[in-house]
Amino acid sequence: GKEDHEMGYYRDAWAGGLFLLHVLIIFIMAVGLGASASEPSNGKGSNDDLGAINASMVGGVTLLLALSAVLATAWQQFLMHYGSAVISCMLWTSVLMSGVMCVVYFVAGAWMMGILFILFTVCAYLYSNAVKERIPFASSNLRTACIGVKHFSPKLPLVAAGALVAQCLWILIWAVAFLGFRASPNADNPLAYFLMLVSFYWGCLVVVNVVHVATAGAVATWWFDGDNAPNPVSGATKRALTTSFGSICFGSLVVAVLKATVVVLRGLRDQANKSGRDGAAMIICCTEWLIHIIEGWMKYFNRWAFVFVAVYGLEFKEAGQKTHSLFRRLGWTAIVNDDLIQNSLALGCLVTGAFVGIVGFTYGMGASLGSDNALELAIWGLVIGYFLTKVLMGLVDSAVATVFVCFAQDPKAFQRTHPELYEELVGSWAEMHGPVMRACGYSANEADDRI
């Protein structure tokens, strides 16, 4: 259970070097192309208007960044204190939203869609009713994770705050660079546009995953070594920014490419629909759906692989193999899929992103930027709000994932370091998944007697 990444060599160093080089290129673009694009030109009136609009767009993005930071911090504090309520609320929100959409479609006269959403509402209700008994199990895991995070307060929140600042700076620099790119002769180059999208998502994901790995490393130290381990947060953060940084960049790059591909395919699908090419639109839609599914699985996979990177200092590929073999060997894939906490955290990201997106659209219309630019600001707000909230949610999310992995790897270590929490945690696992625990080799005292 002890971390073995004190050997000092850099894992996946090529990925870390490539990421830093790409950040330097974006910074040069922001200083060169972006700065000139945001200044009014002395030439034609159309260029003056473009410069004024770009300047207003930068102001709007700055406003959205500040609002997102405030909302993300507020959501994190709420989740820390009312985690069980959030899980319950998330569980029944899908039922309520399906019911509301059903009523809306019937009022609008769309009978087929109304009937379809009746089926969605029934399915959502049956699902919520079936899994509501899992709330105490999820709450127990969330409680253990939150105690681990709170133990390192204020150091871990400061790490998240630093990442939040880094995220804001990255988005702002990238936004200025993108405005310059949009005004350059290469604006119509599809490959350049795709690479700019990859750059945006890569930078955002690296910041999120650095927090994930740092938090997982600190919580794992708390799990294995107890409350008196020396400087666990600073040590874990240092490893995330040095020896494990390349692995973080590697895993983040894969997801960034998939995300950018989905965005490009969505744009191509819209163009095909507008031009009446239904066959091409259908093919693109199927491809987009397939890539989106792969992206979802890769994000899900990375969540656990990065815990192994944090706890054992593995390269990304080896961490992925460990993740697959662990849950395949123990038969706990279904248990992980049952985790309600992940969806509750995602709910906060989506709500914040949606609210900031609405504010962005309102700002754009109020500043007379036009409907197209207002819509662009709304999209920026959605993305900014989502990713900034994701940075802070990384504290709780990483702790929950670490609790899962550490419990699967070495529950006895937690019994030695935190016996009371161990009793509560193993009791909830046994109550919910006793047969699986027995099949995995746990004793009757740890499984049968707790059911």
Side-chain angles (χ1 to χ4, degrees):
K2 295 290 288 182
E3 294 141 319
D4 62 342
H5 41 186
E6 304 297 335
M7 294 177 287
Y9 73 91
Y10 290 80
R11 286 85 179 170
D12 299 307
W14 66 270
L18 182 62
F19 175 80
L20 294 177
L21 176 62
H22 126 271
V23 169
L24 177 61
I25 293 173
I26 293 297
F27 180 78
I28 293 173
M29 289 178 60
V31 172
L33 294 175
S36 60
S38 61
E39 296 177 356
S41 172
N42 294 325
K44 298 180 181 180
S46 59
N47 290 333
D48 291 337
D49 294 339
L50 180 60
I53 289 175
N54 282 339
S56 297
M57 292 285 285
V58 171
V61 170
T62 304
L63 171 65
L64 296 179
L65 285 169
L67 177 62
S68 298
V70 172
L71 293 178
T73 303
W75 180 258
Q76 181 200 28
Q77 293 302 315
F78 183 82
L79 186 64
M80 286 290 191
H81 292 90
Y82 304 102
S84 298
V86 172
I87 293 174
S88 300
C89 178
M90 176 268 163
L91 188 60
W92 294 103
T93 295
S94 59
V95 181
L96 177 63
M97 293 303 296
S98 296
V100 169
M101 292 302 298
C102 175
V103 173
V104 168
Y105 278 116
F106 275 122
V107 171
W111 297 100
M112 291 301 297
M113 292 300 298
I115 294 173
L116 182 62
F117 268 90
I118 287 179
L119 296 177
F120 287 161
T121 303
V122 171
C123 291
Y125 173 79
L126 292 176
Y127 169 78
S128 299
N129 193 58
V131 302
K132 65 181 180 181
E133 295 181 355
R134 301 176 183 268
I135 292 178
F137 164 71
S139 299
S140 177
N141 285 273
L142 180 60
R143 168 175 156 77
T144 302
C146 285
I147 289 175
V149 170
K150 289 179 181 179
H151 175 71
F152 298 116
S153 181
K155 292 183 178 181
L156 267 182
L158 284 176
V159 171
L164 189 61
V165 172
Q167 190 82 291
C168 291
L169 289 175
W170 166 250
I171 293 174
L172 193 59
I173 291 172
W174 185 92
V176 175
F178 182 76
L179 289 173
F181 164 76
R182 192 173 63 174
S184 72
N186 295 321
D188 295 330
N189 188 322
L191 178 59
Y193 178 73
F194 174 76
L195 292 177
M196 287 298 293
L197 287 176
V198 172
S199 169
F200 174 76
Y201 287 119
W202 196 12
C204 290
L205 288 168
V206 165
V207 174
V208 170
N209 290 326
V210 163
V211 177
H212 179 46
V213 171
T215 305
V219 172
T221 301
W222 173 75
W223 179 283
F224 292 116
D225 298 334
D227 296 334
N228 300 319
N231 302 319
V233 176
S234 59
T237 304
K238 179 181 177 181
R239 291 189 295 270
L241 292 173
T242 54
T243 55
S244 296
F245 186 71
S247 299
I248 294 172
C249 294
F250 186 9
S252 301
L253 176 60
V254 176
V255 178
V257 170
L258 292 172
K259 281 183 172 293
T261 303
V262 170
V263 173
V264 170
L265 289 174
R266 187 176 298 125
L268 293 175
R269 172 169 54 86
D270 292 340
Q271 292 179 6
N273 284 328
K274 291 178 181 178
S275 61
R277 295 177 294 164
D278 296 336
M282 181 176 297
I283 294 174
I284 295 172
C285 182
C286 293
T287 306
E288 176 192 343
W289 174 80
L290 178 62
I291 299 297
H292 184 71
I293 294 296
I294 296 174
E295 176 210 336
W297 276 106
M298 195 64 205
K299 287 171 59 180
Y300 179 78
F301 177 83
N302 277 4
R303 181 179 180 234
W304 303 102
F306 281 137
V307 172
F308 279 95
V309 168
V311 178
Y312 299 104
L314 305 177
E315 292 187 349
F316 179 73
K317 182 179 179 181
E318 187 179 359
Q321 294 171 346
K322 291 285 187 181
T323 302
H324 180 267
S325 63
L326 172 69
F327 292 106
R328 182 183 180 90
R329 174 172 53 86
L330 296 180
W332 285 4
T333 303
I335 297 177
V336 177
N337 288 332
D338 287 339
D339 180 23
L340 297 173
I341 301 172
Q342 180 74 5
N343 292 331
S344 300
L345 301 178
L347 177 65
C349 298
L350 292 174
V351 169
T352 302
F355 181 80
V356 176
I358 293 173
V359 172
F361 183 81
T362 304
Y363 172 88
M365 297 301 293
S368 301
L369 297 178
S371 58
D372 290 341
N373 288 318
L375 181 60
E376 184 175 345
L377 273 179
I379 296 173
W380 278 75
L382 176 63
V383 174
I384 290 170
Y386 177 86
F387 273 104
L388 288 185
T389 307
K390 185 69 173 176
V391 168
L392 291 184
M393 290 302 100
L395 293 178
V396 178
D397 181 43
S398 301
V400 169
T402 306
V403 167
F404 267 97
V405 170
C406 290
F407 188 88
Q409 288 287 88
D410 191 359
K412 292 297 184 180
F414 198 55
Q415 185 180 32
R416 293 190 301 269
T417 57
H418 303 87
E420 294 182 1
L421 285 175
Y422 169 82
E423 289 296 322
E424 177 183 343
L425 184 62
V426 76
S428 67
W429 278 77
E431 182 178 357
M432 197 68 246
H433 300 289
V436 178
M437 290 184 68
R438 290 194 300 271
C440 294
Y442 284 84
S443 65
N445 184 54
E446 292 172 324
D448 295 303
D449 292 347
R450 299 177 184 272
I451 302 174

